[in-house]
Amino acid sequence: KKNKNSKGLLVIPTGGGKTLTALRAINKLFKKNIITKKVLWVSHLKTLNEQTSGVIKEQVTAGKFLGKLEPINPMLKNVITEMVTSSVKRIKENKEDYGLIVIDEAHHSASDGYNLLLGSGLPVLGLTATPTRLDGKELEYRKIIYQTTPSDLFERKVIIRPEIEKISTNLSYN
């Protein structure tokens, strides 16, 4: 609310609920009138955008978040999913229509295609399971807003602990 240009990360392991957690946060931001404009949800994969659009539609239709949590603010339908290239075009042409940018798989945002989004002056929420990159490139987020671990999610029964099973195939690989 205080910093209109803030950039923060939501770090949750794969399958741990990044999308629903971010949507619940956006729902509260709409409810408190901290965001009054559209939210641009950006991904580099069409399948991620389709999945997110489906979750949004499901939640808005249900009227409450899964598990009978808080009611859905009708403004949640103003979360627009877009590919990186088309979202850059949207921000260039209509930046004033948006109150927040969400970058899904934010560890990819170190690439040049995200520069305009990160430098737009709009607040940015990055979603990732991997906040550090193996190539050493820094992510442009000021802080981690929320982070949890696989161990915590196993204990809370959010995700299932994998069981490793060794299977002998009698094949060898170089």
Side-chain angles (χ1 to χ4, degrees):
K1 186 174 180 178
K2 292 176 187 174
N3 185 353
K4 300 293 183 195
N5 189 24
S6 62
K7 293 179 187 79
L9 275 177
L10 177 66
V11 181
I12 299 176
T14 302
K18 286 181 288 296
T19 301
L20 280 174
T21 302
L23 287 173
R24 287 183 67 199
I26 292 165
N27 194 58
K28 284 188 178 186
L29 293 171
F30 278 136
K31 182 179 179 181
K32 293 180 177 187
N33 286 321
I34 294 170
I35 297 176
T36 58
K37 298 177 180 182
K38 296 177 190 173
V39 173
L40 187 58
W41 191 293
V42 181
S43 171
H44 69 292
L45 294 173
K46 185 178 178 183
T47 53
L48 277 176
N49 285 332
E50 290 169 353
Q51 178 185 3
T52 301
S53 293
V55 170
I56 294 167
K57 185 177 180 182
E58 181 182 1
Q59 298 302 318
V60 170
T61 302
K64 284 192 172 209
F65 280 96
L66 297 175
K68 298 185 169 70
L69 298 171
E70 69 272 8
I72 300 288
N73 186 308
M75 290 289 287
L76 201 64
K77 67 179 184 267
N78 290 327
V79 177
I80 316 293
T81 59
E82 282 280 359
M83 298 296 290
V84 177
T85 50
S86 53
S87 64
V88 167
K89 185 178 177 184
R90 273 186 190 265
I91 293 301
K92 277 183 183 176
E93 295 173 356
N94 302 309
K95 175 182 154 182
E96 64 283 348
D97 291 348
Y98 297 92
L100 175 68
I101 297 172
V102 176
I103 299 180
D104 208 341
E105 300 288 335
H107 51 279
H108 290 285
S109 65
S111 67
D112 292 340
Y114 291 86
N115 289 345
L116 186 118
L117 298 172
L118 292 167
S120 67
L122 292 170
V124 177
L125 175 63
L127 313 180
T128 189
T130 52
T132 54
R133 292 175 51 101
L134 296 176
D135 63 6
K137 285 187 179 179
E138 289 292 320
L139 298 178
E140 285 193 43
Y141 299 88
R142 290 195 176 89
K143 66 178 186 172
I144 294 175
I145 295 170
Y146 177 79
Q147 183 170 17
T148 191
T149 64
S151 297
D152 179 47
L153 296 179
F154 296 149
E155 286 176 31
R156 293 171 40 204
K157 300 188 183 340
V158 173
I159 58 177
I160 299 169
R161 185 180 304 275
E163 292 182 17
I164 313 266
E165 185 177 333
K166 187 176 180 179
I167 299 173
S168 178
T169 62
N170 296 321
L171 298 174
S172 60
Y173 296 94
N174 281 335

